[in-house]
Amino acid sequence: MEFLEFLQEAPIGDFIRTSDYGYPIVLCFHSLGMAVVVGVVFALNMRVLGFAKAIPPHMFKLLLTIAWWGFGANALSGVALFMANGVNLVQNWTFILKIIFIFLGGITTTVLWRSLQADPEMAGTEAVVTQKAKLYAAVSMVLWLGAIIWGRMIAYTLY
């Protein structure tokens, strides 16, 4: 806990926690990063589940690169938000669930993308997506939605 207290008292943590503008600005970047990540992942998952069949799954390669940039922005802003209140967040069950859902969502999305890349038939619009890939896509959507919901719930369970 001493390290978390140190982070809270560090200039960045203190600014985010005490400034009128620090927390809202960082939270805005966090929300934008989340929108990019979840937007791209949901678009890919919807394609795998059978929507927008005219778009070959391999076309998501560039979008997934953009999603990684969004994830980076989310990670940096998330660390900054954590620095402002880490002592309380590590004890908060909704924060812990959010982190678990993000971790599992990232793994599931990575496994889905690798399975799509491994199949040479995914390059065309006639690609037939396997039931396994559809299951990964559905699970991925549930996990990312869970991360958003539990992240939002932190505001109501933090004490």
Side-chain angles (χ1 to χ4, degrees), residues 131-149:
Q131 288 301 108
K132 192 174 187 179
K134 288 181 181 184
L135 177 63
Y136 287 141
V139 170
S140 173
M141 290 177 79
V142 169
L143 291 169
W144 287 109
L145 277 174
I148 292 169
I149 291 166

Side-chain angles (χ1 to χ4, degrees), residues 1 9 16 19 21-22 28 55 57 86-87 96 98 111 113 125-126 128 134-135 143-144 147:
M1 286 293 190
E9 298 305 320
I16 293 168
S19 164
Y21 302 105
C28 181
I55 301 171
V87 171
I96 294 166
K98 171 190 173 177
V111 168
W113 181 244
T125 58
E126 306 299 320
V128 177
K134 288 181 181 184
L135 177 63
L143 291 169
W144 287 109

